[in-house]
Amino acid sequence: MFCNLLLAIVVSASIDSTMLMLGDQTDMHLQVTQEKDEKVEWPVFGETLQEGLEIVDRTIVDTTTLPDGRLQLNQYLTLTSFQDSLFSINPVAFASGEDTFFTEAMALNVIQPFEVDTTLAITDIKDIEKAPIWWWGIIRWILLALLLVALGVGIYYLVQWYRKRQQPEEEIIEPELLRPAEEVALEKLDAIKEAKIWKDGKVKEYQTDLTDVVREYIGRRFDVQSTEKTSDETLREMENILVKGQGGKVPCTKEDGKALYERLKKMLQTADLVKFAKWHTTPDENESALNTAYDFVKETTPVEQPDEQKENE
């Protein structure tokens, strides 16, 4: 370390390690402390610090202001060497005006970690060898993957089984599709006729039950999803069938079909007034609606042809 008391310039150098393996690296720290108004020329380094010592990296000169107002400048040099030798690092010179300041000398011992037998002849580099296939490792990973898949499938079916047990069993309802539509409809109309709930003031329930039977019959007989349609939508489709004779599904004549359509229209409209407008029907209107339902089912029931007529056709 060199110190000029008049100029108050202090230069120093230190090294992180004084012993280094061949090819390893270590940092050399350079530091200058000076007054703010002083100008110190920093040394310029090339690729080497000196013969045998290479500079592989360096930082920029960093300036820090000290509490007493002076400046401290720092730089780090990363050194390496490929020579097995004890190096004496020369002092580093800093200039300020006509004065030159030197850091202290240091020593760096570079050690060869292995001995080289110079008596052996130089041989070629060995060919690249293929690593053997680790079959057990591959099989182990495959087995692990299969185990995870089996575990996932098992958990899935276990969850499905648990959910199925938690759900209440649904009541199985036997469909009536095997029985003729007119047979089912007439049977339900007989039950409504016998109950006569309209006499107990349950006119809305009576009209609802009656139109439900007719709508279900229309759905099965004419493929018109009446239960999912309004009365107007149902009547439009039934007009094409009963009045206009489209599809040839009605055994009655055109005049009878028109009269039957008008009766069906009156029954559905009356039922809508009762259900949605709180209309109060008379006993005669209730009986008339039931008779209309009976007649509609009977007159639209397909007529079975005699066997002789079927054979002639």
Side-chain angles (χ1 to χ4, degrees), residues 14-202:
S14 62
I15 193 167
D16 289 349
S17 177
T18 58
M19 183 176 294
L20 197 66
M21 292 294 181
L22 194 72
D24 284 350
Q25 299 176 1
T26 187
D27 286 336
M28 179 179 176
H29 179 207
L30 301 176
Q31 186 178 88
V32 175
T33 304
Q34 65 176 74
E35 299 292 339
K36 283 187 177 182
D37 56 351
E38 295 294 337
K39 184 177 180 180
V40 178
E41 295 182 7
W42 205 271
V44 180
F45 301 101
E47 297 297 326
T48 60
L49 182 65
Q50 60 189 57
E51 186 179 355
L53 290 178
E54 299 180 14
I55 301 176
V56 296
D57 195 12
R58 70 198 71 193
T59 64
I60 61 173
V61 179
D62 179 41
T63 303
T64 304
T65 302
L66 299 177
D68 58 4
R70 292 185 299 165
L71 299 179
Q72 187 179 83
L73 291 78
N74 299 278
Q75 185 180 30
Y76 289 87
L77 305 178
T78 303
L79 307 178
T80 189
S81 178
F82 298 95
Q83 295 182 15
D84 182 7
S85 178
L86 176 61
F87 292 94
S88 177
I89 300 178
N90 300 325
V92 181
F94 295 85
S96 178
E98 298 180 356
D99 298 322
T100 302
F101 306 92
F102 295 92
T103 63
E104 62 272 20
M106 295 178 292
L108 177 61
N109 188 16
V110 180
I111 300 173
Q112 172 84 333
F114 52 86
E115 294 184 1
V116 178
D117 191 351
T118 57
T119 61
L120 298 176
I122 299 175
T123 58
D124 293 334
I125 299 175
K126 291 185 177 181
D127 293 335
I128 299 175
E129 295 183 0
K130 293 183 178 180
I133 300 176
W134 188 31
W135 290 108
W136 168 239
I138 297 174
I139 294 174
R140 185 171 61 182
W141 282 109
I142 293 175
L143 292 176
L144 179 60
L146 293 176
L147 178 62
L148 292 177
V149 171
L151 183 62
V153 172
I155 293 175
Y156 171 79
Y157 282 107
L158 181 62
V159 171
Q160 295 298 321
W161 173 80
Y162 178 76
R163 288 180 177 177
K164 189 175 181 180
R165 288 197 59 185
Q166 294 298 108
Q167 294 177 353
E169 295 184 0
E170 296 182 357
E171 183 181 356
I172 300 176
I173 302 175
E174 292 294 335
E176 297 179 334
L177 298 179
L178 298 178
R179 298 173 60 193
E182 61 275 9
E183 181 180 326
V184 175
L186 292 174
E187 184 178 290
K188 291 183 178 180
L189 290 176
D190 289 341
I192 294 174
K193 179 180 180 180
E194 185 176 350
K196 294 183 180 181
I197 61 175
W198 61 268
K199 291 186 176 181
D200 298 329
K202 299 179 181 179

